[in-house]
Amino acid sequence: MSADLPGTLASVWFFLIGLTFTIYFFLDGFTFGEGLLQPFLAKNEAQRRAMIGTVGPFWAANEVWIILGAGAIFAAFPLWYGTLLTALYPMFALILLALIGRGVAFEYRAEMDNPRWRIFWDVTAFVCNALPAFLWGMIMANMVRGLPIGAGGRYGGGVSETIDLFSVMGGLATLSLFVLHGATFLLLRLDPAGDLHRKARRAALTFGAFATVLVLGFVLLGFVGRELFNAFGLSEWLFPALAALNLGLIWLALTLRRDALAFAATGLTIVFSTATIFVSLFPNVMPSTLGAAYDLTVVNAASEPYTLRLLSWACGIFLPLIIAYQGWNFWVFRRRMQGRDHAEDGQMVYGQDGP
């Protein structure tokens, strides 16, 4: 075995984890965004059911990626996992509760034909979409700017160290970006002749402006205020610049009514933004504000080479199956929601009567 193989394998797993979170934010981002737009776009029960139907077949499968990402960190980088959860435990606990609440709201709101019952679950769903969309941005901001980590990965701060202007700006940037991604997803899934489709386009243009300001503001704070991304060398502006260019492309696509291009552009903005986070971290997995000697790196936080090799075999077998299943799922439910789907009960709302 090469002497560098353990470090190389750990680096590979770090970027695989980054890829997993990128896919998760891409897929669940439009689900969060659709849920946040519901109260503003749907004015009656038929429209609300139509919007739920656009994400109904996909939201549960999307969450597989966050389970994969968390499991991979736990198995490949146990020290990173322990420090990350200790430092940001309140945020992760709120995200977990919100994801559970969102699933319950999806399943329960149609169980009773009672307006108060449905309003309760609609409010629950809105809150449970807003919390993860905001908190994921705060978590990513805390990861790149560093936390007071001491010897052995021991976290030496409290909750107050995790909340500042940079982390709040990160939360607002992801929140607005997910709403924009949800709006462009609705353009692909709703009947283009319907009133909801027109509202979704207007929402995309509105939140496109918010997302542009907040994402660029977050990048500026990171680059100027905290000297992040310096480790990029010649490519320090590569991913932030690509993310900014994509935001401009979204405006152009929406103006030209190229809905597929608009959705692809919002997705690419999420991809480049997440890639920026993980590339800027490497070779650290979590920097310490107490000094570089306490940084958690891909080498000192990694599991034993045997564990990493075992994980690689498991990944090689199961990852293609997961990708194939999700691809098949999107193909089966590729049809746009039509007017007849809006008022039916049960599975029809998910468009399960086939294309």
Side-chain angles (χ1 to χ4, degrees), residues 3-355:
D4 294 331
L5 184 56
T8 303
L9 201 52
S11 299
V12 168
W13 267 101
F14 173 76
F15 284 110
L16 279 176
I17 289 169
L19 177 64
T20 302
F21 276 91
T22 301
I23 295 173
Y24 171 67
F25 290 147
F26 179 94
L27 293 176
D28 228 10
F30 65 69
T31 310
F32 293 138
E34 180 277 334
L36 290 167
L37 285 170
Q38 271 190 43
F40 304 103
L41 303 189
K43 298 305 179 186
N44 54 51
E45 177 62 15
Q47 290 185 342
R48 193 173 290 275
R49 288 176 64 78
M51 291 188 67
I52 294 173
T54 62
V55 297
F58 312 121
W59 69 270
N62 292 345
E63 293 184 359
V64 168
W65 292 97
I66 190 56
I67 296 172
L68 280 177
I73 295 178
F74 174 75
F77 300 98
L79 188 57
W80 181 19
Y81 182 88
T83 303
L84 191 62
L85 256 66
T86 301
L88 304 174
Y89 182 79
M91 297 183 191
F92 282 113
L94 284 174
I95 288 175
L96 179 60
L97 291 174
L99 293 179
I100 294 171
R102 184 179 65 159
V104 174
F106 261 121
E107 300 296 337
Y108 274 52
R109 79 173 299 278
E111 293 298 319
M112 289 180 63
D113 188 16
N114 182 310
R116 291 183 179 179
W117 172 268
R118 288 181 172 172
I119 288 173
F120 171 78
W121 289 114
D122 288 340
V123 172
T124 300
F126 180 82
V127 173
C128 291
N129 279 298
L131 279 175
F134 179 74
L135 291 174
W136 277 123
M138 291 193 74
I139 288 171
M140 290 294 149
N142 276 293
M143 281 174 56
V144 293
R145 67 101 185 266
L147 289 167
I149 302 169
R154 186 178 297 275
Y155 178 63
V159 174
S160 60
E161 278 78 8
T162 66
I163 303 173
D164 65 359
L165 177 61
F166 184 64
S167 63
V168 171
M169 184 62 85
L172 292 174
T174 56
L175 182 71
S176 62
L177 199 52
F178 287 165
V179 173
L180 173 61
H181 197 37
T184 57
F185 179 74
L186 287 173
L187 293 177
L188 289 182
R189 291 281 291 153
L190 291 171
D191 183 355
D195 185 49
L196 268 180
H197 192 274
R198 179 182 56 78
K199 292 179 179 177
R201 184 179 304 284
R202 192 165 58 195
L205 287 167
T206 302
F207 282 97
F210 282 118
T212 301
V213 172
L214 292 170
V215 170
L216 293 180
F218 176 68
V219 171
L220 189 65
L221 273 179
F223 190 80
V224 177
R226 297 187 176 274
E227 298 183 349
L228 298 177
F229 317 127
N230 287 346
F232 283 19
L234 293 176
S235 60
E236 62 185 12
W237 277 102
L238 176 62
F239 288 113
L242 289 174
L245 284 175
N246 264 292
L247 286 170
L249 182 59
I250 294 165
W251 275 93
L252 181 63
L254 289 172
T255 303
L256 297 175
R257 296 181 178 272
R258 301 287 297 273
D259 296 339
L261 181 60
F263 177 71
T266 57
L268 283 174
T269 300
I270 292 174
V271 168
F272 290 133
S273 299
T274 311
T276 299
I277 299 295
F278 281 88
V279 172
S280 67
L281 276 173
F282 187 80
N284 296 324
V285 295
M286 202 165 176
S288 171
T289 55
L290 302 181
Y294 301 116
D295 288 346
L296 298 184
T297 70
V298 293
V299 175
N300 67 25
S303 294
E304 294 297 321
Y306 171 78
T307 304
L308 296 177
R309 285 197 297 271
L310 196 62
L311 281 174
S312 301
W313 278 106
C315 178
I317 294 171
F318 291 107
L319 192 59
L321 295 177
I322 294 171
I323 293 173
Y325 170 75
Q326 277 211 295
W328 173 80
N329 191 39
F330 275 99
W331 175 256
V332 169
F333 295 105
R334 67 189 182 279
R335 181 177 61 84
R336 287 177 183 265
M337 298 296 296
Q338 301 297 324
R340 62 193 172 89
D341 299 324
H342 297 180
E344 298 292 337
D345 287 330
Q347 304 224 321
M348 180 71 82
V349 76
Y350 291 171
Q352 293 183 355
D353 58 341

